[in-house]
Amino acid sequence: MAKVLCVLYDDPIDGFPTSYARDDLPRIDHYPGGQSTPTPRDVDFTPGHLLGSVSGELGLRRFLEERGHTLVVTSDKDGANSVFDRELPDADVVISQPFWPAYLSPERIANARNLKLAITAGIGSDHVDLDAAIAADVTVAEVTYCNSISVAEHVVMMILSLVRNYLPAHRWASEGGWNIADCVARSYDVEGMQVGTVAAGRIGLAVLRRLKPFDVRLHYTDRHRLPRELEEELGLTFHPSAAEMVPECDVVTINAPLHPETEGLFDDTLIGSMKRGAYLVNTARAKICDRDAVDRALRSGQLAGYAGDVWYPQPAPADHPWRTMPHQGMTPHISGSSLSAQARYAAGTREILESWLDGTPIRDEYLIVDKGGLAGTGSHSYSTGSSTPAK
Ligand code: NDP
């Protein structure tokens, strides 16, 4: 029988919801490109309910306990005496979300003597030291595509919010003001702007597609070029590197994975090469940007705005400069954890567990590490010997 250790974010401060703003979710069977949404044999949760917090338990308890397995759910993941560290040594499976990552460092993997499977309930397994997972023969799987469109929608929202100065204007209204000049003194139209994405994978391409109707000029850089028909359909300009793209852009969105090529990419030099007053939106990973360089650029006016939902570490400390720097639209790490996304990644986690417990293959597109090497999606998106060390 397996012990499954699941690390989830805390319940809402007012308690676990007993009712919801909406009664249902749209039914989505396939992602763009044709991959099917998760296909577990069954689920024990109501899609649209809060599943990603401790009491939501990703809807897994009944499924696991009816089969005789043990489920331990905690949000206490950091510090020497955390519940996570105490429960890890005999856990067979660890489940964690990038929003509230249980960092699986080499030391923790060494302590997890029974660990066979690490599931990311979401996308992005950079909180797992993949080299250590490979060495320990731990399978790493994530729910590929589950929240890519959720993030793309968030990116578009953040671009519009920054450029149009939405958040400060909303603050004036809720605080009782009617200060139109204060609201509009930093407000522009997106129409006609040059907008570029660093990476045009699932999220980056979805952002480009969503921005096309705004009559902007679209740019991208990526390790591989998109098909020519797609470039023509969206009117895309390809640039061989971020360094060549960003000086041309009014808005830059980062949609690349964190790995050595991208870690610290947006430093003083690259940000300094952007147009004065450009906007930067990063929902990929915080460490792609130099924390203090972003702060300096907002204070000097080199950047007109920065928004994103990714921080390092997570949760961010109360004194993290990105909480208080000017002209920012930061949120906690939420873009990929809408109730819509949660229904997909809870179902995907269940699908992965069903396969693993039954001894049947996990979908190739969900695999990052398997049988002592990168596998499936992992062999395309990650590289061995070069993972950015987990915290
Ligand atoms: P994909 O794997 O679909 O796309 C990533 C793209 O990045 C690929 O096209 C890849 O190129 C490209 N790439 C890799 N390295 C570079 C580089 N150095 N320069 C330019 N392009 C590069 O991933 P997704 O679009 O689904 O997700 C992207 C990232 O977003 C994830 O890695 C994750 O970190 C983050 N994310 C954030 C979430 C959130 O909640 N905020 C939720 C989900 C993801 P190629 O494959 O051609 O080599």
Side-chain angles (χ1 to χ4, degrees):
M1 291 299 115
K3 172 175 170 181
V4 178
L5 175 56
C6 185
V7 177
L8 300 175
Y9 46 78
D10 288 312
D11 286 347
I13 49 174
D14 294 336
F16 196 69
T18 50
S19 66
Y20 289 87
R22 294 181 50 78
D23 297 325
D24 58 9
L25 294 180
R27 192 181 161 84
I28 295 167
D29 297 321
H30 290 86
Y31 302 111
Q35 181 188 316
S36 66
T37 51
T39 51
R41 281 196 297 274
D42 198 4
V43 294
D44 300 317
F45 60 80
T46 305
H49 285 193
L50 183 60
L51 302 167
S53 75
V54 170
S55 297
E57 301 182 321
L58 293 175
L60 293 173
R61 186 166 296 281
R62 195 167 124 202
F63 159 68
L64 288 169
E65 289 185 347
E66 274 182 355
R67 285 160 183 76
H69 306 297
T70 307
L71 176 67
V72 176
V73 181
T74 181
S75 64
D76 183 18
K77 67 186 184 68
D78 294 318
N81 202 27
S82 63
V83 173
F84 180 61
D85 272 315
R86 290 206 305 273
E87 296 285 350
L88 190 58
D90 62 345
D92 299 277
V93 179
V94 164
I95 303 172
S96 165
Q97 303 170 101
F99 325 106
W100 189 258
Y103 293 102
L104 273 176
S105 59
E107 299 72 35
R108 276 177 162 168
I109 289 177
N111 283 338
R113 291 178 296 277
N114 284 0
L115 186 63
K116 297 168 197 75
L117 174 65
I119 303 177
T120 302
I123 304 175
S125 297
D126 47 274
H127 59 282
V128 180
D129 189 293
L130 297 184
D131 285 344
I134 287 169
D137 201 12
V138 173
T139 295
V140 180
E142 59 185 48
V143 189
T144 305
Y145 231 139
C146 63
N147 55 17
S148 307
I149 301 303
S150 322
V151 179
E153 290 186 3
H154 207 82
V155 171
V156 173
M157 174 189 80
M158 285 180 152
I159 291 173
L160 292 170
S161 303
L162 287 181
V163 174
R164 301 200 58 82
N165 208 34
Y166 168 62
L167 290 170
H170 174 67
R171 207 169 302 130
W172 279 112
S174 34
E175 288 172 2
W178 194 257
N179 302 46
I180 294 175
D182 289 287
C183 298
V184 300
R186 293 183 67 90
S187 174
Y188 299 88
D189 292 351
V190 172
E191 184 184 19
M193 285 190 168
Q194 311 284 331
V195 182
T197 176
V198 177
R202 283 176 290 266
I203 296 173
L205 181 57
V207 170
L208 292 169
R209 284 191 183 286
R210 279 155 182 74
L211 285 173
K212 167 84 174 144
F214 282 89
D215 290 332
V216 291
R217 304 292 298 275
L218 295 171
H219 301 252
Y220 80 102
T221 182
D222 198 289
R223 294 199 297 199
H224 298 98
R225 220 168 148 160
L226 293 167
R228 192 148 56 86
E229 313 79 71
L230 197 51
E231 287 190 352
E232 284 168 7
E233 180 195 329
L234 298 176
L236 304 178
T237 303
F238 172 75
H239 301 264
S241 67
E244 285 157 279
M245 182 183 81
V246 302
E248 295 198 26
C249 294
D250 303 289
V251 178
V252 173
T253 156
I254 305 173
N255 299 295
L258 174 67
H259 59 119
E261 258 171 59
T262 55
E263 182 165 358
L265 179 66
F266 280 78
D267 56 8
D268 284 309
T269 308
L270 191 66
I271 295 174
S273 76
M274 296 172 77
K275 285 186 186 177
R276 191 190 78 82
Y279 302 89
L280 186 56
V281 170
N282 176 15
T283 54
R285 285 295 178 263
K287 290 208 287 182
I288 297 174
C289 295
D290 177 319
R291 186 192 73 172
D292 297 330
V294 168
D295 184 28
R296 279 191 287 274
L298 287 168
R299 291 182 195 284
S300 73
Q302 173 59 18
L303 286 178
Y306 180 94
D309 69 329
V310 284
W311 308 68
Y312 189 82
Q314 293 192 161
D319 63 352
H320 194 296
W322 290 4
R323 289 184 186 271
T324 48
M325 61 192 181
H327 313 306
Q328 49 87 12
M330 293 299 298
T331 64
H333 193 165
I334 55 165
S335 64
S337 196
S338 58
L339 294 177
S340 322
Q342 288 175 43
R344 287 188 293 272
Y345 66 69
T349 300
R350 165 94 179 238
E351 181 185 337
I352 292 167
L353 281 171
E354 283 177 357
S355 303
W356 187 77
L357 292 167
D358 291 354
T360 55
I362 295 170
R363 271 203 227 192
D364 219 36
E365 58 252 40
Y366 292 162
L367 286 175
I368 303 300
V369 167
D370 195 32
K371 299 185 173 60
L374 292 173
T377 294
S379 46
H380 182 81
S381 305
Y382 295 87
S383 42
T384 43
S386 62
S387 57
T388 301
K391 188 187 157 202

